[in-house]
Amino acid sequence: MEFRKDIQILRGLAVAFVVLFHLEIAGLSSGFLGVDVFFVVSGFLMAILYKSGETKKFFERRAKRLIPAYLATVIFTLLASLFIVLPSELGQVVTQSIYSLFFANNIGFWVQNSYFSKSDFNPLLHLWSLGVEIQFYLIVPLLVWFFRKSKFLLPATIVGSFAVCIFMIGISPKTSFFMMPLRMWEFLIGFAAAYYLTNGGSVKYKNLNYIGLTGLIALIAIPFMNVDGQSLSRMLGHPSFYALGVCIATVLIIAFGLPEMVTKSFIGKIFARIGDYSYSIYLVHFPIIVLYLYQPFSGTKLYPESYFDKGVLFILIALMSILMHKFIETKRINSIGKVYLISVASLFVLTGATKVTPNIMYTQDEQNIFNGLYDRATYRCGKLIRVTDPSALSCKINSEKYDNSVLLVGNSHADSIKIAFTDTASSKNINTYFLISNTPLMDASVTPEQVIEEAKKLKTKHIVMHYSPNALKIDVLERVLNIAKDSQIRIDLILPIPVYKDSIPKQLYLNRIEMYSQSEYLKDNAEYFRKVEELKSKYSIFSTFETQQQLCDPNCEISTEEGKPYYFDSNHLTLTGAKKLQPVFEKILAI
């Protein structure tokens, strides 16, 4: 294949969008679509580079091209984190590094949270796309063999992967986002472009390069696209129809090329040069941003607030990209096996250092604070249930089987108390069921009618609800009560817990305690509590249970005497904190 300067421009444009998105530059809220461009280009190149009968050589070339710089990024990020971040976040970097060794970054982040969540400290989050890409490379020989059986199998696989991807968005958007089989259609669109629209990768219809220009114009519109990566909407979610549009625009450039007025222009040359360094830029930019802007207990911070910080970050990214490109990415590698083994040994040593340093550098009280971030239960009902049973509305928390049951309903605040609540329920021989959705009754994911129907299905006459302040709207609660009264289902509402402006572990570590009293808590929630009391007078099936008596007496408590936090952030109880509400659970389940 002849050198394609237009492909380099594509790479340069894509990586620019991604970097500016990660820097949270205004107007680039959809810059993450640049990754979709990379996937199409990768699929196109794999169709050109793979030759039948040369599977071993293909894997060796791909490994030598990608793995050294990839593993160097992981090692340097963990090494820098050892000196920059606290043990509370350092453990998260270690976990991400281990997933990286198995090229399963996407799976690790799928287990953790959404790509768009910043609650966790994720300096290696961007490597999810490399996990997807490498997993795709591993099946390229099989795909080529498969597609040669019939000319209809390639388009059928594209349509099938896309259809499953769209379907899954309505159930679990992050599954569509992170999982290779659901992203495969993007690679295969590039694959198909190479097979059917080019001459061995070279432009077939050069006189139609104005069509490629329309594709470029469409890609430049990426920042103006309204894409919500966490939406359950199969139209507005991601990767969905907007991603399909980006893939088609990319194919137009691959198939028809770009006019010389673009490729030879000053701007075109700049983006082509950026494209030459695009892999190194992509690898180094995210850890640099996250580590530079690091603040203890604040998750992943991306936005540089001052122009000085923006300037420093651009210089660091440019400098480290050049160094990575010159000394690692383009360096001739004789044995990729040795590179991998040395990397494994290096990460093993660094991981050992992360286990030793906290005992040397921090007191036991400080370690108790750090451990508070991990004093929490598995998310909701676990990660697999949305895939293994996508139609399920609830899951069973306790393993025992009893005659009586209770249905726990709520957002992430209910999630944080579910283990303590379930322990109390089990002691009274009661099954605990929990809604899978993290936002039931807050959006269309679970309606009042569905909650009551689920209770009937589980043969329970008891629903317990718990939400963060003002998350459960009064009119929605009344709809639930109206439906429940006809079936004589009891509704108990555990009133909201006290919440704070800043992370509790952070307050404890910095010794900057935000004082909060029971009287302030009651004042802040007075209007909501008044409306709830009005509902209590209207519905005999409805009861409320206070939390401030356990957490504020009279000042609100945030930790044990040993310094173990009652909250793992500003508003979610740890397992230790949730146990403080056991007397409340006893009252509810004794009725």
Side-chain angles (χ1 to χ4, degrees):
M1 182 182 76
E2 65 181 16
F3 176 73
R4 295 282 303 269
K5 196 170 184 179
D6 50 355
I7 298 292
Q8 295 305 90
I9 291 174
L10 259 180
R11 284 172 160 164
L13 187 66
V15 80
F17 279 140
V18 172
V19 172
L20 293 175
F21 167 73
H22 285 151
L23 284 168
E24 298 188 347
I25 301 300
L28 278 155
S29 59
S30 296
F32 57 87
L33 287 166
V35 173
D36 300 81
V37 175
F38 280 127
F39 285 169
V40 176
V41 172
S42 290
F44 163 74
L45 291 174
M46 292 313 99
I48 303 303
L49 296 175
Y50 177 73
K51 309 297 181 185
S52 294
E54 298 182 357
T55 301
K56 182 181 178 182
K57 188 180 293 186
F58 169 76
F59 285 144
E60 285 180 351
R61 286 198 302 262
R62 285 291 86 199
K64 289 179 180 180
R65 170 74 179 87
L66 298 176
I67 290 178
Y70 165 89
L71 289 177
T73 301
V74 176
I75 291 169
F76 287 136
T77 300
L78 183 54
L79 179 62
S81 299
L82 193 61
F83 295 98
I84 295 173
V85 310
L86 295 177
S88 48
E89 288 92 358
L90 189 57
Q92 298 177 59
V93 186
V94 170
T95 300
Q96 293 161 39
S97 301
I98 293 170
Y99 274 106
S100 298
L101 283 178
F102 299 96
F103 312 112
N105 318 73
N106 55 322
I107 297 172
F109 291 115
W110 173 76
V111 169
Q112 182 194 90
N113 214 326
S114 163
Y115 169 79
F116 301 93
S117 171
K118 297 184 179 68
S119 59
D120 295 293
F121 183 69
N122 293 330
L124 295 174
L125 175 61
H126 67 313
L127 296 186
W128 74 269
S129 65
L130 270 298
V132 170
E133 197 157 324
I134 291 170
Q135 290 159 27
F136 173 74
Y137 294 161
L138 292 175
I139 65 170
V140 164
L142 179 62
L143 290 174
V144 171
W145 176 85
F146 182 67
F147 295 148
R148 284 179 176 169
K149 295 296 180 181
S150 170
K151 63 180 180 179
F152 297 109
L153 290 177
L154 175 53
T157 306
I158 293 174
V159 172
S161 175
F162 181 69
V164 176
C165 177
I166 296 296
F167 171 76
M168 190 56 67
I169 284 175
I171 299 171
S172 174
K174 69 175 184 176
T175 301
S176 289
F177 188 96
F178 283 125
M179 290 304 174
M180 188 277 289
L182 281 71
R183 286 282 196 159
M184 190 164 60
W185 60 273
E186 296 183 286
F187 293 97
L188 293 182
I189 284 177
F191 216 84
Y195 273 5
Y196 303 126
L197 300 176
T198 69
N199 284 324
S202 300
V203 176
K204 184 187 295 187
Y205 309 104
K206 293 184 179 181
N207 60 322
L208 299 178
N209 55 25
Y210 62 88
I211 298 178
L213 181 60
T214 62
L216 180 63
I217 293 170
L219 291 181
I220 293 172
I222 281 177
F224 307 102
M225 297 180 184
N226 181 26
V227 183
D228 183 355
Q230 300 187 84
S231 173
L232 292 171
S233 168
R234 292 186 170 94
M235 180 61 68
L236 300 177
H238 181 76
S240 182
F241 292 98
Y242 279 106
L244 177 61
V246 167
C247 293
I248 292 172
T250 303
V251 163
L252 293 180
I253 298 174
I254 288 173
F256 301 103
L258 292 172
E260 287 190 355
M261 67 175 184
V262 174
T263 58
K264 293 186 176 181
S265 68
F266 178 70
I267 294 178
K269 290 178 180 178
I270 289 176
F271 277 102
R273 190 60 173 163
I274 294 173
D276 293 339
Y277 289 83
S278 59
Y279 184 52
S280 290
I281 294 171
Y282 187 84
L283 287 174
V284 307
H285 83 280
F286 198 76
I288 288 174
I289 296 170
V290 175
L291 290 172
Y292 181 85
L293 298 175
Y294 168 71
Q295 292 181 2
F297 307 103
S298 298
T300 300
K301 191 173 185 293
L302 294 176
Y303 180 65
E305 296 181 0
S306 71
Y307 286 108
F308 175 80
D309 286 337
K310 288 183 175 72
V312 170
L313 282 170
F314 274 115
I315 292 171
L316 286 174
I317 291 169
L319 178 62
M320 294 306 297
S321 297
I322 292 170
L323 293 175
M324 177 71 82
H325 181 77
K326 183 175 181 179
F327 294 105
I328 299 179
E329 182 188 347
T330 57
K331 188 175 179 64
R332 183 178 178 86
I333 303 295
N334 294 321
S335 174
I336 191 62
K338 287 183 180 179
V339 171
Y340 186 78
L341 289 175
I342 291 171
S343 299
V344 170
S346 301
L347 287 172
F348 179 79
V349 171
L350 288 172
T351 299
T354 66
K355 304 302 179 184
V356 174
T357 51
N359 296 326
I360 299 173
M361 299 176 61
Y362 302 98
T363 66
Q364 186 59 53
D365 287 343
E366 289 174 326
Q367 291 182 57
N368 286 341
I369 295 170
F370 302 146
N371 291 335
L373 270 72
Y374 303 100
D375 187 22
R376 53 202 287 190
T378 302
Y379 176 74
R380 302 302 289 194
C381 296
K383 304 296 180 180
L384 293 176
I385 191 166
R386 284 190 180 274
V387 178
T388 57
D389 191 1
S391 64
L393 204 64
S394 68
C395 65
K396 194 171 184 293
I397 302 297
N398 44 5
S399 57
E400 305 86 355
K401 292 184 179 180
Y402 304 113
D403 293 332
N404 296 320
S405 300
V406 62
L407 176 60
L408 180 62
V409 176
N411 62 1
S412 56
H413 279 222
D415 186 34
S416 67
I417 68 167
K418 71 173 186 277
I419 297 300
F421 181 87
T422 301
D423 288 343
T424 304
S426 295
S427 70
K428 297 181 179 296
N429 297 332
I430 299 173
N431 302 310
T432 301
Y433 290 90
F434 188 37
L435 288 191
I436 295 170
S437 168
N438 196 43
T439 54
L441 303 178
M442 296 169 59
D443 53 27
S445 62
V446 181
T447 64
E449 291 79 9
Q450 287 176 308
V451 170
I452 302 304
E453 283 303 313
E454 186 69 7
K456 291 179 180 179
K457 175 184 172 183
L458 299 172
K459 298 179 180 179
T460 178
K461 293 287 187 178
H462 191 187
I463 295 174
V464 177
M465 308 172 78
H466 181 54
Y467 285 83
S468 50
N470 297 307
L472 177 61
K473 302 303 180 186
I474 294 297
D475 61 326
V476 177
L477 175 57
E478 185 160 19
R479 279 178 58 198
V480 175
L481 295 171
N482 266 321
I483 303 169
K485 69 178 181 180
D486 295 331
S487 302
Q488 285 301 298
I489 295 175
R490 194 172 106 226
I491 307 292
D492 289 334
L493 176 65
I494 302 174
L495 295 175
I497 61 171
V499 300
Y500 298 82
K501 295 177 182 177
D502 206 352
S503 162
I504 295 303
K506 181 179 179 180
Q507 291 185 47
L508 290 168
Y509 179 72
L510 299 177
N511 198 24
R512 299 174 184 171
I513 308 302
E514 175 190 344
M515 300 304 296
Y516 195 52
S517 67
Q518 186 176 126
S519 59
E520 289 176 299
Y521 162 81
L522 293 172
K523 181 180 178 181
D524 290 342
N525 294 281
E527 181 63 18
Y528 188 80
F529 289 172
R530 182 186 65 77
K531 292 178 180 178
V532 168
E533 286 298 314
E534 289 178 359
L535 291 181
K536 281 176 65 177
S537 65
K538 290 174 62 176
Y539 298 92
S540 59
I541 60 167
F542 182 47
S543 299
T544 61
F545 294 83
E546 298 178 344
T547 60
Q548 82 272 10
Q549 296 293 344
Q550 309 304 320
L551 296 172
C552 306
D553 190 24
N555 292 319
C556 299
E557 301 176 13
I558 59 174
S559 70
T560 65
E561 292 181 359
E562 297 80 24
K564 295 181 179 179
Y566 286 145
Y567 297 76
F568 60 78
D569 55 14
S570 64
N571 64 104
H572 292 93
L573 293 173
T574 58
L575 295 177
T576 301
K579 289 177 182 177
K580 292 277 289 181
L581 297 181
Q582 187 172 356
V584 177
F585 306 149
E586 292 279 356
K587 287 182 183 178
I588 292 172
L589 297 169
I591 301 174

